[in-house]
Amino acid sequence: MKFFVDTADINEIKDLASTGLLDGVTTNPSIIAKSGREFLPLIKEITEIVSGPVSAEVAATDYYTMRKEAEVLRKIADHVAVKVPLTPDGLKVCKELSDEGTMVNVTLCFSAGQALLAAKAGAAFISPFVGRLDDISYQGLDLISDILRIYENYPDYDTEVLVASIRNPMHIIESAKMGAHVMTSPPSVIRQLYNHPLTDKGLAGFMADWEKSGQSIL
Ligand code: G3P
């Protein structure tokens, strides 16, 4: 499973990139607004830290303006994935950009039917929002399994399932069990994956015993 981080915080991105485990970055207009930074230079800076896909979202909703914005975004770097909303105009932009070899991340997916459309439009990534479905008392993870099942039936679809709106480590683990290709989560949830109380307890025991042995490796 590829790990993307859903943030525009440069320090967080640098820190996670230094682990060698980070495969890409996703942003959205809310994340950009929260950063307080200017959008285009910020995306450029992220592309210089991470060599994998960096999602940058259009801010318009009509076809012509989205298309123009996409031209600006894809010129930032070859590994920018232009993010478009799952609307008829968004998918029209997706099809054109994908045909021209640009990665497109189709966002705000809440149904398997929408994911089918995105695959047909040539999306590099479909972003189903599991947390927001959970928030309204649906099983967000059921959507992931439905989409994967549908895509498996059509090996000519190149679209990767990018599990988004992740709220906790179980969203990542369950999606990985299903074979989802990518997940994007806040930095804090990625860090939670490291943690287990038995790891802490075991390490404390090993260190105490080593101390008693009086030895040193270096
Ligand atoms: O960036 C898309 C998605 O990950 C947003 O998540 O937490 O705003 O539902 P959230």
Side-chain angles (χ1 to χ4, degrees), residues 137-197:
S137 300
Y138 281 79
Q139 289 284 1
L141 288 168
D142 286 353
L143 176 58
I144 304 304
S145 91
D146 284 350
I147 297 171
L148 287 168
R149 196 164 143 216
I150 289 169
Y151 283 8
E152 269 165 26
N153 291 335
Y154 303 97
D156 55 318
Y157 290 165
D158 294 326
T159 307
E160 297 194 354
V161 177
L162 195 175
V163 183
S165 184
I166 280 175
R167 303 269 193 266
N168 56 62
M170 289 314 292
H171 278 151
I172 300 173
I173 294 161
E174 292 302 320
S175 300
K177 279 160 73 177
M178 293 173 201
H181 309 86
V182 195
M183 73 85 196
T184 190
S185 90
S188 58
V189 181
I190 296 179
R191 292 203 183 90
Q192 276 181 273
L193 289 174
Y194 285 96
N195 299 335
H196 196 285

Side-chain angles (χ1 to χ4, degrees), residues 5 9-22 49-50 187 191 194:
V5 67
D9 183 321
I10 292 291
N11 290 331
E12 291 279 28
I13 293 168
K14 280 184 180 163
D15 185 56
L16 286 164
S18 74
T19 66
L21 305 180
L22 188 65
I49 301 166
V50 178
R191 292 203 183 90
Y194 285 96

Side-chain angles (χ1 to χ4, degrees), residues 94-167:
C94 173
K95 180 76 171 79
E96 291 177 2
L97 295 179
S98 301
D99 285 350
E100 293 166 12
T102 295
M103 283 186 290
V104 180
N105 177 355
V106 177
T107 188
L108 292 166
C109 171
F110 294 94
S111 80
Q114 290 179 320
L116 191 51
L117 289 171
K120 287 182 67 64
F125 305 105
I126 180 68
S127 290
F129 280 30
V130 292
R132 292 194 194 185
L133 282 169
D134 287 356
D135 290 346
I136 58 160
S137 300
Y138 281 79
Q139 289 284 1
L141 288 168
D142 286 353
L143 176 58
I144 304 304
S145 91
D146 284 350
I147 297 171
L148 287 168
R149 196 164 143 216
I150 289 169
Y151 283 8
E152 269 165 26
N153 291 335
Y154 303 97
D156 55 318
Y157 290 165
D158 294 326
T159 307
E160 297 194 354
V161 177
L162 195 175
V163 183
S165 184
I166 280 175
R167 303 269 193 266

